């Protein structure tokens, strides 16, 4: 072969090389984007949950040798009056907290999006502010509000002629459970105000203009136009709130630790104390209670899907 001979790569070959390179880069990118979070999910979420099924069949304190007891922990849990007391409190929270959070959030979001207040931008920040605070801060704030000696609530009641003395709202079995509800609602409203407001802004203004021409007031527009069109968002919000009230216990742990005398105990807190409390240290029984909670959450999801189907509205 002469030195002047030049070997040329065909156009199709160069194109194939570039395509192969682009395809390889795409798969590398997908692998780097998917494998770490999916691996974290498997390692820190799915695997512990599967392991909990095995733990629920053991008599184990987490330190000494375990003993296989089969379904004995589940039988004990179903006969445990403290489990049923905690579930009753969870049911109260599951009904009240989502209802008030969704109701207040819808009303505030509607006012922000349909009233031309100059302070709307500031109000959005103000409503969202509780979500910036940690659960610890919210719990401590309301613990101060309910304090018997220096509490804000007793001071306000005294100003309007209702002197409660040194009554501590979180220290009474009659009022402790109800006192937690405002704290939970206040901490959750801000996020859903922003979510509902953004959903309402996506509704065409022509629908409201037509309703105004026909004489519809704000309440009619809210009930007949806004709520039906944002109902898929409301459904998802309600689902998150229901799951949160069934699983959550942090705010109760800080405010009352389940007291007084178990008046505010919930299933998540009871399970936590079973596993890590010095009095119990029973990982197996706690895992069994957790499995019961899992079944309840799945059932709640199926019930919501049955009675509140995800219906879309076209406009």
């Amino acid at each position: 072969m002469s030195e002047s001979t030049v070997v040329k790569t065909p156009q199709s070959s160069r194109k194939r090389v570039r395509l192969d390179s682009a395809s390889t880069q795409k798969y590398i990118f997908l692998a780097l984007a998917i494998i770490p979070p999916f691996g974290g999910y498997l390692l820190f979420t799915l695997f512990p949950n599967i392991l909990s099924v095995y733990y629920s069949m053991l008599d184990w304190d987490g330190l000494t040798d375990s003993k296989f007891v089969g379904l004995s922990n589940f039988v004990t849990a179903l006969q445990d009056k403290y489990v049923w007391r905690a579930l009753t409190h969870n049911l109260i929270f599951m009904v009240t907290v989502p209802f008030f959070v969704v109701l207040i959030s819808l009303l505030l979001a509607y006012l922000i999006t349909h009233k031309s207040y100059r302070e709307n931008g500031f109000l959005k920040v103000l409503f969202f502010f509780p979500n910036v605070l940690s659960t610890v801060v919210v719990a401590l704030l309301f613990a101060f509000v309910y304090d018997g000696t220096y509490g804000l609530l007793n001071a306000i009641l005294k100003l309007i002629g209702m002197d409660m003395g040194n009554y501590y709202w979180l220290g009474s079995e009659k009022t402790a459970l109800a006192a937690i509800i405002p704290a939970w609602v206040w901490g959750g409203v801000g996020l859903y105000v922003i979510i509902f407001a953004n959903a309402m802004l996506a509704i065409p203004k022509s629908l409201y203009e037509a309703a105004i021409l026909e004489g519809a007031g704000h309440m009619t527009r809210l009930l007949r136009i806004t709520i039906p069109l944002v109902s898929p968002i409301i459904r998802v919000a309600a689902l998150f709130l229901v799951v949160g009230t069934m699983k959550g216990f942090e705010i109760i742990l800080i405010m009352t630790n389940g007291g007084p005398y178990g008046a505010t105990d919930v299933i998540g807190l009871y399970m936590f104390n079973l596993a890590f409390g010095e009095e119990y240290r029973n990982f197996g029984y706690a895992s069994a209670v957790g499995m019961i909670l899992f079944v309840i959450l799945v059932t709640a999801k199926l019930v919501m899907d049955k009675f509140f189907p995800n219906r879309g509205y076209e406009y």
Side-chain angles (χ1 to χ4, degrees), residues 174-191:
K174 297 179 180 179
T175 57
L177 189 69
I180 292 175
I181 296 175
W184 213 329
V185 171
W186 185 79
V189 162
L191 174 64

Side-chain angles (χ1 to χ4, degrees), residues 9 41 129 142 241 265 277 287 310:
T9 304
Y41 173 77
F129 179 72
F142 273 85
L241 288 166
D265 198 16
S287 298
N310 189 12

